[in-house]
Amino acid sequence: MNNNPIGIFDSGIGGISILNKVLKYLPNEDYIYYADSIHNPYGNKSKEELIQLVDGIMKKFMLYQVKLVIVACNTATTQVISYLRKRYYNILFVGVEPAIKVAYDYHRNKNVLIMATPGTIQSKRLLELNQIYSQEKRVLLSCDGLAELIENDNMEAIPSYLISLFSQFDKEKIDVVVLGCTHYPFIKKEIVEAIGHSVIFLDPSVGVSLRVKHLLKENDLEAEGKEGKVTFLLTDPSKESVISKYLDLEDSYVLSSVGE
Ligand code: DGL
């Protein structure tokens, strides 16, 4: 048993799509959610820049003595999770990466669209996943600027952005969409509208929740006998309204800002 919190971070509000699910599977745990909105987007940053940012976040997490960290960002996972695991070897990490394996296992003969940030699309890890689980009818789509639009709640700009992005391929044929950035689950409706028909969406939130649950149990780190709470650390306090727009929690959370 261990009542220390779980750390979870993203370049902003995207990781809320993961937090919402994890909270359903593990309601007794405490969470420290770090939203690094001031440095959004991560998708255009170099590996060195990302390392610097995640080190800053880890420093904060250490103060809270987190027992496990969820890297709720595909860009950070694909580029720096191996660094994090080596550098902070006494902490457990769970990352998120585009559900390419799930698409391969369950939708092998379908037309699959992988949407992700430029950083994720260009990462070695994605190249590796793309080769191991190679699928003939797969489109890899770098969505430069999309996470920023969602982060800034610039919803009016999203339909035209998507229409122009999807004009690069035959969208009629798409059956499955892999949401390879944690910001994208918030715009499923807009994606369906821009594609023009319904699709199967794949996102990693259930897989991440089950993995966290398993790791806590295996390492005897589960919290016991209490109701969990969520503390938000915001690098940009003005993002509070976007967080509450997407968060599936009505009360019992604490907001505070992180001084730069
Ligand atoms: N939400 C993040 C991801 O899953 C990053 C978005 C960004 O900052 O570019 O990749």
Side-chain angles (χ1 to χ4, degrees), residues 10-11 14 40-44 72-76 96 117 120 147 180-183:
D10 177 47
S11 67
N40 184 282
Y42 275 13
N44 301 70
C73 170
N74 293 261
T75 313
V96 297
T117 67
T120 298
C181 166
T182 51
H183 282 71

Side-chain angles (χ1 to χ4, degrees), residues 92-231:
L92 297 166
F93 287 92
V94 176
V96 297
E97 56 185 22
I100 288 182
K101 182 181 185 307
V102 180
Y104 176 86
D105 287 344
Y106 298 99
H107 308 285
R108 187 112 19 122
N109 298 316
K110 300 214 173 90
N111 290 278
V112 179
L113 172 66
I114 317 281
M115 296 177 67
T117 67
T120 298
I121 295 286
Q122 288 154 19
S123 67
K124 265 204 225 140
R125 178 63 184 149
L126 199 97
L127 197 76
E128 203 175 87
L129 288 171
N130 198 32
Q131 276 168 1
I132 305 174
Y133 306 107
S134 118
Q135 222 175 324
E136 206 189 312
K137 295 181 272 181
R138 173 183 289 157
V139 178
L140 292 179
L141 190 63
S142 170
C143 307
D144 195 6
L146 182 55
E148 259 172 294
L149 293 177
I150 302 165
E151 181 70 25
N152 296 325
D153 207 21
N154 193 352
M155 298 309 278
E156 319 77 65
I158 288 175
S160 56
Y161 173 96
L162 290 175
I163 288 184
S164 117
L165 190 73
F166 293 164
S167 65
Q168 302 173 35
F169 53 87
D170 187 359
K171 58 184 188 181
E172 295 297 307
K173 292 198 176 138
I174 298 299
D175 309 301
V176 177
V177 175
V178 171
L179 300 166
C181 166
T182 51
H183 282 71
Y184 303 165
F186 301 132
I187 56 156
K188 283 186 189 168
K189 184 167 86 50
E190 288 78 2
I191 293 173
V192 167
E193 278 165 12
I195 287 184
H197 58 86
S198 64
V199 290
I200 297 166
F201 283 109
L202 299 182
D203 86 70
S205 55
V206 172
V208 168
S209 308
L210 293 172
R211 180 76 188 140
V212 173
K213 202 173 164 122
H214 171 80
L215 279 178
L216 293 181
K217 198 174 167 59
E218 191 179 62
N219 293 282
D220 197 19
L221 289 173
E222 293 159 301
E224 258 173 29
K226 61 175 199 51
E227 206 176 302
K229 69 169 190 298
V230 183
T231 302

Side-chain angles (χ1 to χ4, degrees), residues 29-45:
E29 300 291 338
D30 287 343
Y31 300 87
I32 309 288
Y33 183 100
Y34 190 110
D36 196 11
S37 307
I38 210 153
H39 297 116
N40 184 282
Y42 275 13
N44 301 70
K45 293 200 166 34

